[in-house]
Amino acid sequence: MSKTILIVFGTRPEAIKLFPVVHALKAEGRFRVVTCVSAQHRGMLDQVLEIAEIAPDHDLDLMKPDQTLDGLTAALLTGLGTVMDAEKPDWVIVQGDTATAMAGALAAYYRKLPVAHVEAGLRSHNIYHPWPEEVNRKIIGTIAALHFAPTETSAAALKAENVDPDTIHVTGNTVIDALQWVTKRIEGEPALASGLAEIEARFAGKRIIGVTSHRRENFGGGLESIARAVRRIAQRSDVALVFPVHPNPNVRKVMDAELSGLGNVAMIEPLDYPNFARLIAISEIMLTDSGGVQEEAPALGKPVLVMRETTERPEGVAAGTARLVGTEEDVIVTEIFTLLDDKAAYSAMARAHNPFGDGQAARRIVELLGNVRQSQTR
């Protein structure tokens, strides 16, 4: 009898990092694969579902304007619990650190269902940076029966928390699987990533910097400082900044106030996955407070400046592919100008080894799920 695997996700990053696992499980043929989306991020999630050709079996459609974290968590617990009661899965798979992932793990625990955690063991060791993701990860780490750690560093973090070493497996990060998959798709179907063609033509001859910023802990003063830094960088005539602006009003009002009307700053709507991969490819530098970009950009040889005080991905900093610059305006500007003007500094980051995987993470995860004994799940 085939095992039923329930895969739970709700945001764009989760969808990107889990669609290779969904594909690999379905290709294996030994599993009954059930997908459930919370739609914690509705529009951005749907973009990935479309390109990955995944039609969810359950769609909770929980996104509401300005919903609180506790309200979202309550809705997730009851909604996901109902799905679990109906499907009675042998395993529940969650990814990363979102409210959906945490609630999925907790709802499974309430039913004594084993949880497999994709991208396990990331730690910043500060419960407010990133917030609330650091605590979400720790909750899932306490519950999970299988921990698919992307790197040896993340595996070591789990072992330091006294997680059973036999349940920890270093698989690489599935984001590299996804990036390789979408890059191959774009090669065969260039129109998938043609959404930036007008901007590329507009900024021909300029050095493009890709920008993303949406961290909750940066709301307020941090975002305002980031916006001022972007404005100062834009004073250079040789650069252009492409900034897909997160739909959260806390982000948009700050960026609109500071950056509207600048000729070499393109503030655009969030990009679908193929076009975001294209943005990384055409950028010289990625300036971000995101987690996933710290993994994706090095895979394409692009330095990453991380506008945060801590990172749960220290492997990139250690390898030299990423650098923490915080949110202080002068520091951001100085670090960007150093990479633009110092060829040796740029080359050192661009050529550093990407520590996040080889594109085979999903295959390893499926093999591990197929080989696990039921006695190991209780």
Side-chain angles (χ1 to χ4, degrees):
M1 188 175 181
S2 61
K3 294 178 182 177
T4 295
I5 311 291
L6 175 63
I7 304 176
V8 173
F9 54 102
T11 67
R12 168 197 166 107
E14 288 170 290
I16 289 171
K17 293 182 177 184
L18 281 176
F19 82 71
V21 179
V22 174
H23 287 177
L25 283 168
K26 289 186 174 181
E28 177 70 18
R30 286 189 289 165
F31 306 97
R32 174 176 171 258
V33 182
V34 180
T35 52
C36 175
V37 299
S38 68
Q40 184 179 334
H41 292 170
R42 177 80 270 172
M44 293 188 288
L45 168 70
D46 289 345
Q47 293 173 354
V48 182
L49 294 176
E50 182 178 359
I51 186 65
E53 299 178 341
I54 293 174
D57 298 291
H58 301 273
D59 189 335
L60 302 182
D61 197 22
L62 293 179
M63 184 177 180
K64 296 180 180 178
D66 299 320
Q67 61 188 340
T68 62
L69 285 174
D70 47 3
L72 172 61
T73 302
L76 284 164
L77 277 172
T78 55
L80 293 171
T82 298
V83 171
M84 291 176 194
D85 291 340
E87 296 290 353
K88 297 180 172 54
D90 296 287
W91 279 93
V92 175
I93 294 179
V94 299
Q95 189 281 329
D97 52 23
T98 67
T100 296
M102 183 274 291
L106 192 56
Y109 168 71
Y110 287 161
R111 290 156 179 81
K112 297 185 178 179
L113 298 172
V115 173
H117 188 197
V118 175
E119 198 182 71
L122 277 64
R123 297 290 186 271
S124 71
H125 306 291
N126 183 329
I127 65 171
Y128 296 110
H129 293 273
W131 174 82
E133 287 82 359
E134 180 75 359
V135 165
N136 287 344
R137 282 192 290 263
K138 291 171 74 69
I139 291 170
I140 300 167
T142 300
I143 293 169
L146 279 177
H147 307 261
F148 299 132
T151 66
E152 292 290 350
T153 299
S154 50
L158 290 166
K159 292 171 186 175
E161 295 174 358
N162 295 317
V163 174
D164 181 355
D166 290 339
T167 68
I168 303 169
H169 304 275
V170 177
T171 61
N173 198 307
T174 56
V175 76
I176 307 302
D177 303 40
L179 189 61
Q180 290 181 0
W181 182 89
V182 79
T183 300
K184 187 174 181 180
R185 280 286 304 272
I186 292 168
E187 288 175 358
E189 302 175 63
L192 288 174
S194 62
L196 290 171
E198 185 177 325
I199 287 175
E200 291 184 54
R202 170 183 163 191
F203 292 148
K206 291 188 180 293
R207 306 166 72 182
I208 293 176
I209 299 169
V211 184
T212 72
S213 183
H214 67 276
R215 297 295 328 154
R216 287 176 181 267
E217 62 267 25
N218 286 342
F219 286 0
L223 282 179
E224 291 168 2
S225 181
I226 289 168
R228 290 194 300 270
V230 170
R231 186 177 184 89
R232 283 175 58 187
I233 295 164
Q235 292 175 4
R236 288 182 60 134
S237 61
D238 61 333
V239 305
L241 298 101
V242 181
F243 191 164
V245 182
H246 196 279
N248 190 307
N250 292 292
V251 178
R252 293 214 161 192
K253 65 183 179 183
V254 172
M255 299 306 164
D256 286 345
E258 192 68 38
L259 304 177
S260 291
L262 296 181
N264 57 346
V265 177
M267 289 196 296
I268 59 177
E269 292 299 311
L271 296 168
D272 63 17
Y273 187 42
N275 281 291
F276 190 75
R278 177 64 182 169
L279 174 60
I280 296 174
I282 65 174
S283 296
E284 281 199 30
I285 304 164
M286 291 299 298
L287 180 63
T288 186
D289 60 13
S290 167
V293 177
Q294 297 175 52
E295 302 153 345
E296 293 165 317
L300 297 180
K302 308 302 171 132
V304 185
L305 296 183
V306 185
M307 298 181 292
R308 288 161 54 174
E309 302 301 329
T310 61
T311 180
E312 65 280 22
R313 294 167 174 85
E315 302 92 335
V317 176
T321 61
R323 183 174 300 147
L324 289 172
V325 299
T327 60
E328 206 281 315
E329 176 185 347
D330 289 340
V331 174
I332 294 170
V333 173
T334 297
E335 293 287 352
I336 283 282
F337 285 5
T338 296
L339 289 179
L340 290 172
D341 297 331
D342 185 333
K343 291 182 179 180
Y346 183 90
S347 181
M349 292 189 74
R351 295 180 182 177
H353 171 69
N354 179 17
F356 294 109
D358 58 3
Q360 297 297 313
R363 177 187 59 79
R364 297 186 185 100
I365 287 167
V366 170
E367 288 179 358
L368 289 162
L369 284 168
N371 293 333
V372 71
R373 298 188 304 274
Q374 195 65 24
S375 61
Q376 292 176 267
T377 67
R378 296 290 191 264

